[in-house]
Amino acid sequence: MIKFLDLEKVNNRFRTEIDEKIKDILDCGWYLQGKYNDKFSKDFANFCGTKYAVGVANGLDALNLIIKAYGFGVGDEIIVPANTYIATILAISENGCTPVLVEPSINTYNINPDLIEEKITPKTKAIMVVHLYGQAVQMEKIWALAKKYNLKVIEDSAQAHGAVYKGKRTGSLGDASGFSFYPGKNLGCMGDGGAVTTNDKELYEKVKALANYGSDRKYHHIYKGTNSRLDEIQAAILDVKLPHLDSDNDKRREISKYYRENIKNPKIILPETYDEKAHVWHIFAVRTENRNHFKEYLEENGIQTNIHYPTPPHKQGAYSEWANQSYPISEEIHRTIISLPISPVLTDDEVEKVVEVINNYE
């Protein structure tokens, strides 16, 4: 069976160095807010091209903390793509803000910048872009709208570690960015983890305090905060893997290019990218009309797949207030999308088999 993602194989490449780091942590007995967290935060900020990074517990917390740090709340609106994973929207509603959904482009799956301005009202505080499936959003029009209406730009970079747009990496394309290091991400830890990146010192200091019970120093609480910290073991694992991220992303690009050049089945709609460096192919998502039949066919032929995501947020029970709303492009994507195996540990033979099996699909 060709696994959709073989995490054991991904992580075994770094086993020796990870074991050494974990042994050091066990020997020193310091498990939170120590030297590994400090080092990874600095290294990750440097990687993204920002002045600051704060390690937090997960990607949802990263977005939640950014919104909280800006002071957005009840009555405030934040624009967000309609086809994102629900975590992006949860971060908005958890702060009492109103998510305002905007349709994506059917070609890139990212938010359609041409549809944003009509959704801006006097209540709008921010545009939250999602670099979905690993492709950086084309930002010029979004930057222009943010300047015109005095809005913040928040990036959800959970799927796009290392993607480059006009010479800048995701994480540095907005006022602040939230990352997830869930194990399956391009840069993944061995549990939950996340980070906030920014060039705004005031925001950085506030997020850092909010994530630590609202405390700027021990037993001194200046905000009503929460507990959202990246532990030392996860930080150490991430710092071991970070130097290999660019080469891993290059391998993903090679696989994507082979898929896009060699999958010839007319029943399969392939993903598009406007710039190879802008996409890190966290997900290689294709579309097909009879998705369930296609998925079963691939599994019968030894190929695992996944679906990102079967149900759009506005059709989820958690947001039943949107049940009567229609977002036809998002609904079309969610109805037909299916993700093929892609990772830095796929072999050439496995990639070739995926293509051969798909081209024989009837």
Side-chain angles (χ1 to χ4, degrees), residues 25-297:
I25 292 166
L26 292 174
D27 289 344
C28 76
W30 194 286
Y31 309 119
L32 288 168
Q33 296 182 309
K35 64 181 182 181
Y36 286 108
N37 207 315
D38 288 344
K39 185 176 186 305
F40 173 69
S41 295
K42 291 173 184 174
D43 290 346
F44 192 64
N46 184 61
F47 176 84
C48 293
T50 59
K51 294 179 181 177
Y52 310 105
V54 182
V56 298
N58 54 68
L60 173 57
D61 280 3
L63 297 174
N64 194 355
L65 286 161
I66 292 168
I67 296 169
K68 189 177 182 69
Y70 278 131
F72 301 150
V74 176
D76 294 332
E77 296 176 351
I78 297 178
I79 289 171
V80 65
N83 64 317
T84 185
Y85 181 56
I86 199 169
T88 320
I89 295 171
L90 287 172
I92 297 170
S93 57
E94 279 187 11
N95 281 278
C97 301
T98 301
V100 177
L101 306 186
V102 172
E103 287 270 56
S105 164
I106 194 69
N107 296 319
T108 67
Y109 307 131
N110 281 335
I111 193 168
N112 187 337
D114 294 331
L115 302 179
I116 293 175
E117 188 165 18
E118 65 190 51
K119 297 294 186 76
I120 295 173
T121 75
K123 297 180 180 179
T124 307
K125 299 296 183 182
I127 302 169
M128 186 177 286
V129 298
V130 182
H131 308 298
L132 197 65
Y133 303 145
Q135 180 157 223
V137 173
Q138 293 171 284
M139 297 293 294
E140 274 102 339
K141 291 181 180 179
I142 290 164
W143 289 331
L145 288 171
K147 184 177 181 180
K148 181 178 178 179
Y149 293 99
N150 193 29
L151 306 176
K152 296 296 184 183
V153 176
I154 302 170
E155 297 174 80
D156 181 342
S157 302
Q159 298 186 2
H161 314 73
V164 177
Y165 180 75
K166 293 193 177 296
K168 298 178 67 176
R169 294 190 194 265
T170 51
S172 67
L173 300 175
D175 295 288
S177 178
F179 285 87
S180 167
F181 302 125
Y182 182 78
K185 303 298 186 185
N186 290 34
L187 180 63
C189 55
M190 295 183 186
D192 274 320
V196 172
T197 59
T198 185
N199 287 314
D200 184 336
K201 184 178 181 181
E202 183 179 350
L203 181 75
Y204 158 73
E205 290 177 345
K206 191 167 184 180
V207 166
K208 192 172 182 180
L210 283 168
N212 187 34
Y213 299 99
S215 173
D216 59 344
R217 62 183 188 273
K218 195 168 185 178
Y219 301 134
H220 187 257
H221 305 272
I222 54 177
Y223 307 114
K224 295 175 182 175
T226 187
N227 176 19
S228 181
R229 299 175 294 195
L230 183 67
D231 69 67
E232 285 289 275
I233 289 177
Q234 303 306 335
I237 290 167
L238 290 166
D239 212 45
V240 167
K241 297 171 76 173
L242 180 60
H244 305 274
L245 179 56
D246 280 336
S247 59
D248 279 358
N249 286 341
D250 285 341
K251 177 64 175 177
R252 289 174 178 270
R253 291 186 182 105
E254 289 175 14
I255 295 169
S256 162
K257 185 177 180 181
Y258 189 86
Y259 281 162
R260 286 180 288 132
E261 289 179 349
N262 292 281
I263 294 175
K264 302 296 185 181
N265 194 318
K267 292 185 177 181
I268 308 303
I269 300 172
L270 297 170
E272 297 180 12
T273 181
Y274 61 90
D275 179 355
E276 290 295 330
K277 284 292 183 182
H279 211 318
V280 293
W281 300 102
H282 172 60
I283 299 296
F284 190 92
V286 302
R287 287 186 288 124
T288 188
E289 275 299 314
N290 195 344
R291 178 174 64 196
N292 290 340
H293 181 262
F294 181 59
K295 183 176 177 63
E296 289 170 3
Y297 165 80

Side-chain angles (χ1 to χ4, degrees), residues 326-347:
S326 177
Y327 297 91
I329 296 174
S330 293
E331 290 161 20
E332 172 71 9
I333 291 169
H334 287 267
R335 182 180 67 83
T336 58
I337 207 96
I338 183 168
S339 306
L340 304 182
I342 189 165
S343 83
V345 297
L346 274 182
T347 67

